[in-house]
Amino acid sequence: MTEKYIAKSSAIASRMLGGEMMIMSALDSTFFTLNPAATVVWQAADGRTALSEIVRNHVCREFDVDIEIAQRDVEHFVGELSQHGILLVSDRPFPKPSASPTEAA
Amino acid sequence: MSLMQEMSLRALDLGVPISVHFDITYRCNERCLHCYLDHDDHGEMTTSEIKRVLEELAGAGTFFLTFSGGEVLMRRDFFELLEYARHLMFSVRIKTNAVMIREAEARRMMELGVDQVQISIYSHRPEVHDAITKLPGSLQRSVEAIRFLTGQGLRVVIANVLMTANLGDGAGVQALARELGVPYTLDPTITPKMDGDTSILNLRIPGTELSQVFRNESLVGNVEEFCAPPPPPDEDVMEGYPCSAGHTLAYISPYGDVFPCVQFPLPSGNVRRQKFIEIWERSSQLKEVRSIRAKDLTVCSGCSHVGTCTRCPGLAYMEGSMRGPSTADCEKSFHRTGIASANMLRNLEDRSSPGGPLIQIQSAVA
């Protein structure tokens, strides 16, 4: 199976609210909220960590779930968000992003 | 319930300032007749101060950020601030007169993922719009800017303030918005100046005009529903909050002052002296605002409009009490439904002119 890498689009707004991630697409103002498991995937989507590693090291570590079921659910979730342009998917790691403003400050 | 409504309710439960209106300058290149601001610079926050406040807002959970003024583009660092806000993942809206927006600025806003740009247009006729803004050529510049922005794919909204100076031009602006392919909003609210000067209130449109606005299907949707008499208030209404000001919404001035809302000039702290979250969580003024339920309102709790009125606690505060009525909203409720508010009836009784005043109200409906 080809490995996947996921990165957050820059054309979004997002914020944690009560343990769930809110995301709005800047392209069409579509609004999403992610449940805690999806939020874990979202937070780990740094463009450089393989999706299988995110499932194994983040999702399965934080939630009591079988790895195969988790992988299937996460693939579905990633497919859905990528259709809306919220997540970018590639079969190779994304280039390293520039420092965030908080890091740069 | 939409996801957005669910999120607003959750923010209310959690006490999160989900929306912040941030005026980054009061300076402006227009001098609108109805403007409530003092346009002199009395010591605006610096670029680094604003960036620090933005970080604090992100940490406090703010998601919707409105950059407004004054004219935001009067700040040379505007795009630096906008870029920083977007790096911090805010959903950013901009309120502007757009006079300084050309193709390059529009492109940059699009690149930075601005959610919406709201542009003030007061008339489709240059002689009326420019007389209100006191800036010759401003209508042409603003309309050109709308074309630059929509050409980039940005969402633009035209906002019109209805006042005596542009009375009768609402339909013209609406047609202009249609031609430009952008939504149109209309606000008949004129607020006192920030220093308390009420002289601009004489720009408020007469009640008969309000009645017409409220019966314009293209503005309000289903007129029958919109103008229906208010249903009797139930317990949920009486235990409810008057509005989001101070609950999930905050306003920050260019000088760092924090208020519950842009229309609610109750000083609640200053981000130059305290962290935003400390003000949000500890300010006695904000706590007082949050303590008020509909049942606590001195006059409005006994008014049939209490559950449907657009009562602004900020305007009420400017009238004398944040628990009191806002006369401008009483008039809106009256002209929308034809039913006098408790405040209007009380004022008529206070004048104690036997028989006359109530007849005046009835004649105004006809």
Side-chain angles (χ1 to χ4, degrees), chain A:
Chain A
M1 189 182 68
T2 315
E3 191 56 90
K4 282 182 185 165
Y5 295 85
I6 55 173
K8 300 168 191 121
S9 161
S10 60
I12 54 147
S14 68
R15 194 71 74 224
M16 281 287 278
L17 179 67
E20 291 186 2
M21 185 64 72
M22 314 178 277
I23 302 169
M24 184 186 266
S25 163
L27 301 174
D28 59 6
S29 287
T30 313
F31 189 73
F32 304 84
T33 59
L34 308 187
N35 68 21
T39 297
V40 165
V41 178
W42 176 262
Q43 288 175 319
D46 59 4
R48 310 197 57 82
T49 310
L51 189 59
S52 59
E53 198 181 325
I54 291 174
V55 172
R56 193 173 56 248
N57 292 346
H58 295 270
V59 179
C60 292
R61 196 168 286 176
E62 294 206 25
F63 301 93
D64 183 20
V65 59
D66 181 86
I67 191 161
E68 281 177 10
I69 294 172
Q71 183 76 33
R72 190 193 60 206
D73 289 352
V74 167
E75 296 256 0
H76 179 74
F77 157 74
V78 166
E80 212 170 332
L81 285 197
S82 67
Q83 275 179 11
H84 289 278
I86 300 288
L87 267 181
L88 309 175
V89 184
S90 173
D91 56 5
R92 63 187 65 187
F94 287 83
K96 210 170 183 179
S98 54
S100 74
T102 313
E103 288 162 344

Side-chain angles (χ1 to χ4, degrees), chain B residues 21-310:
Chain B
H21 180 130
F22 201 158
D23 278 352
I24 53 177
T25 182
Y26 284 157
R27 286 174 290 139
C28 194
N29 47 359
E30 294 184 340
R31 286 290 180 276
C32 296
L33 295 174
H34 61 288
C35 187
Y36 53 87
L37 294 173
D38 165 6
H39 295 298
D40 292 334
D41 179 358
H42 298 287
E44 290 173 1
M45 282 191 281
T46 62
T47 310
S48 58
E49 281 180 306
I50 292 181
K51 285 183 175 179
R52 178 184 51 77
V53 174
L54 292 175
E55 287 168 19
E56 291 178 12
L57 294 176
T62 300
F63 184 66
F64 299 106
L65 178 71
T66 300
F67 275 143
S68 183
E71 170 48 46
V72 290
L73 282 147
M74 293 294 281
R75 280 195 73 117
R76 289 179 188 276
D77 59 0
F78 173 68
F79 281 103
E80 186 179 345
L81 296 174
L82 178 59
E83 185 175 355
Y84 200 75
R86 287 294 296 125
H87 273 300
L88 291 169
M89 291 291 179
F90 290 104
S91 172
V92 179
R93 292 184 171 191
I94 298 168
K95 291 188 176 187
T96 172
N97 59 40
V99 165
M100 294 164 80
I101 297 176
R102 303 285 92 186
E103 194 155 12
E105 288 78 16
R107 192 183 316 117
R108 189 74 187 117
M109 287 182 187
M110 184 64 192
E111 286 166 357
L112 289 172
V114 168
D115 182 46
Q116 185 190 87
V117 184
Q118 181 181 303
I119 297 172
S120 309
I121 302 285
Y122 306 116
S123 173
H124 57 297
R125 296 184 292 159
E127 64 271 26
V128 176
H129 178 90
D130 295 359
I132 290 172
T133 64
K134 297 181 191 163
L135 181 67
S138 56
L139 177 64
Q140 189 188 336
R141 296 278 295 188
S142 297
V143 169
E144 283 170 1
I146 293 172
R147 292 202 168 98
F148 287 132
L149 291 162
T150 55
Q152 291 292 331
L154 277 153
R155 277 179 293 281
V156 175
V157 173
I158 284 183
N160 183 13
V161 177
L162 199 54
M163 58 191 121
T164 52
N166 62 358
L167 204 56
D169 283 9
V173 182
Q174 205 172 359
L176 176 63
R178 261 198 308 274
E179 181 198 320
L180 293 165
V182 302
Y184 166 78
T185 65
L186 179 67
D187 188 352
T189 310
I190 304 289
T191 56
K193 289 194 175 192
M194 289 192 101
D195 61 7
D197 179 359
T198 57
S199 61
I200 55 174
L201 297 188
N202 58 22
L203 288 168
R204 283 180 177 169
I205 60 170
T208 46
E209 295 294 330
L210 263 183
S211 296
Q212 282 183 29
V213 168
F214 291 148
R215 280 154 189 79
N216 181 337
E217 197 175 344
S218 67
L219 292 175
V220 304
N222 185 329
V223 173
E224 199 178 335
E225 206 173 280
F226 187 78
C227 296
D234 58 21
E235 198 183 329
D236 282 352
V237 167
M238 300 312 286
E239 292 293 335
Y241 303 109
C243 82
S244 61
H247 292 272
T248 56
L249 169 73
Y251 167 73
I252 303 175
S253 82
Y255 312 123
D257 295 311
V258 176
F259 301 94
C261 167
V262 64
Q263 286 201 146
F264 199 156
L266 172 70
S268 305
N270 187 294
V271 288
R272 278 175 154 160
R273 294 190 292 273
Q274 276 175 285
K275 285 190 184 305
F276 174 81
I277 194 69
E278 288 171 11
I279 297 168
W280 182 255
E281 290 179 348
R282 297 182 200 163
S283 151
S284 57
Q285 292 85 1
L286 292 178
K287 282 181 182 172
E288 185 181 3
V289 170
R290 290 178 197 134
S291 72
I292 300 171
R293 304 288 184 276
K295 66 181 180 185
D296 304 320
L297 302 176
T298 50
V299 178
C300 306
S301 58
C303 180
S304 60
H305 292 291
V306 65
T308 53
C309 181
T310 56

